[in-house]
Amino acid sequence: MQIIPVDDKKSVDAFHELPYTIYKNDSNWVPPLRMMVEHIFDPGKNNSLKNGDAKRWLVEKNGQVVGRISAFVTDTYSYSFEQPTGGIGFFECFDDQDAANLLFDSAIDWLKTKGMEAVDGPINIGENFFNWGVLVDGFMQQSFGMQYNLPYYAKLFQNYGFQTYYEQYSYQLDITSPDLPERFWKIAEWMSKKPGYSFKQFRFAEKEKFIQDFLAIYEQAWVKHDNYKRIDPEDINKMLVESKMMLEEDFIWFVYHEGTPIAFFMMVPDLNQLFKRIPSGKLNLFNLLKMLWLRKRKVITRCRVLVMGVIPKFQKSGIESAIFYHLRKVMLRKSWYNEMELSWVGDFNPKMISIFKAVGGNHEKTHLTLRYMFDPNNEFKRAPIIMD
């Protein structure tokens, strides 16, 4: 076997072509847009790499590419733990432990040169909304941004020595169903009408105001999370501009108490239902027009909850249920959406798990985020439980 760095057009093409070989008989796999993947490795497009570095490799066996991997270091993630921790991601491999081991060895050797003492994977270079975790339960077509792989992938990691840092749960919900818990919705309606509270949908025409409101919520709601990092408002503005075609304004909500922003909720349409119809994964003019046409035909019937945050002072007030109350009215109006995925919530966040269950969510998928300690004498610890 031979390890090959991804550093020219030929190797980049091979990096993107490998999954088509691995999943050629798997109808659940949705090819990602090649452009979106490449943007993740471009410091000019991915701000996480402005103060970081990333490298990719392929492994060849008998002249055929049988695996790929990336490794990366970022200031915002790598130095958020007791020990400097790098990341690996975009791992794809045939069921060949020797090939997987060679990929892991190459990534870890490089991470050691960057001063890392542990590695998490498979994870994304940037936000954990996308490309995060190895799927171990719920082998079905994943929603936009959620990781899909074959069942043997977890074994390749675990046989090498990776351990579960935390489990990630996704829940399915038909928010229009009359069978959802009546008591929950009564409390939600009561909470949504309490004096002093207001609920507003995001509008691009006022995005500068909403960006500032989001940052005010984020600074309080996420500051105690394990890998909290500050966000540049210009990064959010850039993300909104680039994602305008993908977003639904009615799926993004802000909550205010006496005019002060206190909570935020964001959901996105499942674009995988469009990408499935672009088997090449290349976004040329024809495919772009095709996507716009399909979007107008309302072929997207599922949406995915990306993030919800409430500042600590209001985390036990029922705000979360009130958000779902308003969102339910949106879903009833947009009747072509018939499924919502609540994803993902870590096993370290029991409060959010209880909310997803209370609203009527059914546990549908499980991913794992895994960690490998370079020095076996260093103690491995699971992700700490969020208590508040």
Side-chain angles (χ1 to χ4, degrees):
M1 284 188 291
Q2 180 183 6
I3 199 78
I4 301 170
V6 177
D7 56 10
D8 57 20
K9 184 180 184 303
K10 181 181 178 181
S11 55
V12 169
D13 287 343
F15 184 88
H16 289 283
E17 290 164 4
L18 174 63
Y20 287 88
T21 306
I22 293 176
Y23 299 107
K24 65 180 179 180
N25 297 318
D26 191 333
S27 61
N28 288 325
W29 180 68
V30 179
L33 291 183
R34 174 170 173 159
M35 176 187 70
M36 295 181 71
V37 175
E38 280 304 303
H39 282 181
I40 293 172
F41 292 96
D42 182 352
K45 301 287 186 179
N46 185 354
N47 289 328
S48 295
L49 287 177
K50 285 183 176 177
N51 295 302
D53 198 6
K55 192 171 178 64
R56 291 182 275 180
W57 298 267
L58 304 170
V59 62
E60 270 191 1
K61 185 175 184 179
N62 299 325
Q64 179 187 0
V65 175
V66 296
R68 75 177 198 186
I69 200 169
S70 67
F72 43 89
V73 174
T74 66
D75 284 357
T76 51
Y77 187 86
S78 299
Y79 301 100
S80 303
F81 307 98
E82 290 184 18
Q83 69 287 316
T85 303
I88 56 173
F90 299 91
F91 173 84
E92 301 285 359
C93 192
F94 284 96
D95 191 3
D96 185 327
Q97 191 67 56
D98 290 336
N101 289 350
L102 184 54
L103 290 169
F104 295 142
D105 285 344
S106 300
I108 288 171
D109 287 345
W110 181 81
L111 288 169
K112 286 179 179 178
T113 68
K114 301 294 182 179
M116 299 297 105
E117 298 175 10
V119 61
D120 290 347
I123 64 174
N124 187 38
I125 311 174
E127 299 300 337
N128 62 11
F129 306 147
F130 307 115
N131 311 307
W132 205 280
V134 60
L135 182 66
V136 294
D137 183 43
F139 292 92
M140 59 188 71
Q141 182 175 312
Q142 300 294 295
S143 57
F144 174 60
M146 291 296 291
Q147 191 89 329
Y148 180 78
N149 54 256
L150 293 169
Y152 63 81
Y153 272 47
K155 176 194 68 176
L156 296 178
F157 280 88
Q158 292 162 343
N159 286 348
Y160 187 84
F162 282 85
Q163 302 178 71
T164 300
Y165 185 49
Y166 53 79
E167 298 184 359
Q168 306 159 223
Y169 306 135
S170 297
Y171 293 80
Q172 185 274 338
L173 173 68
D174 178 358
I175 203 167
T176 65
S177 171
D179 300 326
L180 295 177
E182 183 178 356
R183 179 175 178 273
F184 176 89
W185 293 114
K186 285 183 176 180
I187 294 173
E189 183 178 10
W190 169 79
M191 182 63 212
S192 70
K193 297 177 180 178
K194 284 186 69 175
Y197 292 87
S198 58
F199 299 78
K200 295 182 180 179
Q201 293 164 298
F202 171 82
R203 293 291 181 258
F204 275 101
E206 303 175 75
K207 67 180 172 62
E208 286 76 17
K209 174 191 181 304
F210 284 118
I211 287 173
Q212 294 304 316
D213 291 346
F214 168 76
L215 290 172
I217 297 163
Y218 175 83
E219 289 297 323
Q220 298 178 68
W222 279 279
V223 69
K224 292 186 179 181
H225 283 214
D226 202 27
N227 59 340
Y228 162 82
K229 60 180 183 292
R230 290 189 177 275
I231 297 180
D232 186 333
E234 186 54 38
D235 293 345
I236 302 177
N237 182 65
K238 183 178 178 182
M239 182 272 289
L240 289 172
V241 171
E242 292 178 349
S243 307
K244 189 171 184 178
M245 188 189 79
M246 305 178 183
L247 300 177
E248 291 246 15
E249 292 179 323
D250 292 346
F251 286 173
I252 305 174
W253 284 81
F254 286 81
V255 185
Y256 300 83
H257 181 253
E258 297 180 349
T260 300
I262 63 170
F264 168 79
F265 175 95
M266 182 176 186
M267 184 167 70
V268 295
D270 180 12
L271 297 176
N272 273 3
Q273 292 181 305
L274 296 184
F275 296 164
K276 185 76 172 180
R277 304 182 186 217
I278 304 177
S280 69
K282 295 179 180 179
L283 192 58
N284 53 35
L285 178 60
F286 174 78
N287 285 335
L288 177 60
L289 294 174
K290 181 179 179 180
M291 282 178 53
L292 292 173
W293 179 75
L294 290 169
R295 186 85 183 265
K296 288 185 177 181
R297 290 281 305 274
K298 298 180 173 55
V299 301
I300 301 180
T301 60
R302 181 167 65 176
C303 46
R304 177 190 166 202
V305 176
L306 283 188
V307 62
M308 177 164 59
V310 183
I311 68 173
K313 181 180 177 181
F314 293 89
Q315 284 179 356
K316 296 181 181 180
S317 64
I319 287 295
E320 300 94 341
S321 62
I323 292 173
F324 276 101
Y325 172 78
H326 284 280
L327 189 63
R328 189 186 195 191
K329 292 190 289 185
V330 172
M331 298 293 284
L332 290 170
R333 188 172 73 249
K334 296 175 180 285
S335 57
W336 58 93
Y337 287 106
N338 55 36
E339 183 182 352
M340 177 189 295
E341 180 171 290
L342 311 171
S343 64
W344 52 265
V345 57
D347 61 2
F348 52 79
N349 194 348
K351 177 178 173 59
M352 191 58 68
I353 290 173
S354 67
I355 291 172
F356 283 0
K357 290 180 178 178
V359 78
N362 298 310
H363 184 188
E364 190 173 63
K365 303 166 190 170
T366 301
H367 291 74
L368 305 178
T369 294
L370 303 158
R371 175 167 287 182
Y372 179 81
M373 308 295 291
F374 297 168
D375 184 346
N377 295 317
N378 287 346
E379 182 183 4
F380 169 81
K381 298 178 183 178
R382 290 283 298 253
I385 302 295
I386 297 175
M387 300 306 294
D388 57 350

